């Protein structure tokens, strides 16, 4: 079923969503998704896609590796009251990744020093405690003079519903559309399966 995320919402919230066209015979899921996108490799990368980051394992990369997909970016921490949101983030990723929606986690130690470990320790914690498989990145600053360029771009957006400006705490969430534009921002208390967040991801995927 090419509408797995919509089904994910229905199962948890009883909402009804219009289903798309029936599965086309003789075509793979990835082929159908590429057809819907119009071929994401043909899309020019925007400035957000060109921002350089490091993976949790230290490899240099950029958001361009995720161009053509809808993204949920989250600043994460291992010792926070919201850390249990890893469960929902991983569930969302597993349900939605085949449709072109990805979750990206960015550890940050700026809020109550709740992410003090090394990258290796963070990765081990996430995998052993929450069975995280979505991409994780190296620790960075989301606020202040050392703010990473990625978060300089994210926090400048007034996409809402959360206000533009500094990140308020761990597990703030930014939705990025397939063109690399910020289309929504949600506060830490918004859960990964919140209807408004899932709806924003649907819109980002359809853009």
């Amino acid at each position: 079923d090419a509408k797995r995320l919509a089904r994910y919402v229905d199962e948890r919230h009883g909402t009804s969503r219009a289903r798309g066209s029936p599965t086309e015979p003789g075509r793979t899921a990835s082929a159908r998704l590429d057809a819907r996108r119009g071929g994401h490799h043909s899309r020019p990368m925007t400035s957000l896609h060109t921002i350089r980051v490091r993976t949790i394992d230290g490899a240099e990369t950029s958001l361009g590796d995720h161009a053509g997909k809808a993204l949920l970016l989250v600043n994460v921490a291992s010792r926070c009251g919201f850390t249990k949101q890893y469960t929902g983030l991983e569930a969302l990723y597993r349900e939605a990744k085949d449709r072109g929606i990805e979750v990206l986690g960015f550890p940050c130690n700026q809020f109550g020093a709740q992410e003090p470990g090394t990258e290796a320790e963070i990765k081990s914690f996430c995998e052993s405690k929450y069975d995280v498989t979505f991409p994780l990145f190296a620790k960075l600053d989301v606020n202040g003079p050392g703010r990473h360029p990625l978060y300089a771009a994210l926090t400048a957006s007034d996409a809402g519903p959360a206000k533009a400006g500094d990140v308020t705490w761990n597990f703030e969430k930014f939705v990025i559309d397939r063109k690399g534009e910020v289309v929504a921002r949600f506060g830490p208390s918004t859960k990964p399966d919140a209807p408004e967040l899932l709806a924003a991801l649907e819109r980002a995927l359809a853009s």
Side-chain angles (χ1 to χ4, degrees), residues 2-175:
K3 298 292 185 180
R4 295 175 65 191
L5 181 60
R7 184 178 62 197
Y8 176 67
V9 179
D10 292 343
E11 290 172 353
R12 286 157 176 77
H13 302 286
T15 57
S16 60
R17 293 178 182 272
R19 298 299 193 255
S21 58
T23 302
E24 300 172 55
R27 301 183 70 185
T28 66
S30 62
R32 292 192 299 272
L33 182 57
D34 284 344
R36 178 179 176 181
R37 294 173 181 168
H40 77 261
H41 292 296
S42 64
R43 291 182 177 276
M45 291 194 301
T46 65
S47 59
L48 197 61
H49 285 147
T50 66
I51 295 175
R52 305 296 297 177
V53 292
R54 277 193 305 117
T55 69
I56 197 79
D57 295 314
E60 291 289 337
T61 185
S62 75
L63 291 190
D65 287 350
H66 307 276
K69 299 179 181 181
L71 305 176
L72 177 62
L73 276 59
V74 188
N75 59 298
V76 296
S78 302
R79 301 182 181 180
C80 179
F82 294 117
T83 299
K84 60 187 178 182
Q85 289 189 14
Y86 268 126
T87 299
L89 291 170
E90 179 64 19
L92 172 60
Y93 177 67
R94 294 189 185 194
E95 290 287 345
K97 62 181 179 179
D98 289 342
R99 295 188 55 231
I101 294 175
E102 292 194 350
V103 176
L104 308 182
F106 295 87
C108 177
N109 194 42
Q110 289 189 293
F111 304 103
Q114 294 178 347
E115 190 68 290
T118 65
E119 275 80 1
E121 290 169 337
I122 294 167
K123 180 180 179 181
S124 177
F125 170 82
C126 290
E127 291 178 348
S128 63
K129 181 74 173 177
Y130 293 99
D131 197 22
V132 166
T133 61
F134 60 80
L136 293 169
F137 294 82
K139 288 170 68 171
L140 48 66
D141 283 355
V142 300
N143 292 334
R147 191 190 329 247
H148 191 280
L150 173 60
Y151 272 84
L154 294 175
T155 56
S157 171
D158 59 356
K163 295 180 180 179
D166 284 354
V167 173
T168 58
W169 198 252
N170 304 308
F171 289 86
E172 195 148 324
K173 301 162 186 75
F174 293 85
V175 177

Side-chain angles (χ1 to χ4, degrees), residues 174-191:
F174 293 85
V175 177
I176 313 302
D177 70 11
R178 294 188 297 119
K179 299 185 292 292
E181 299 175 357
V182 183
V183 294
R185 176 178 179 175
F186 297 92
S189 62
T190 300
K191 295 181 179 180

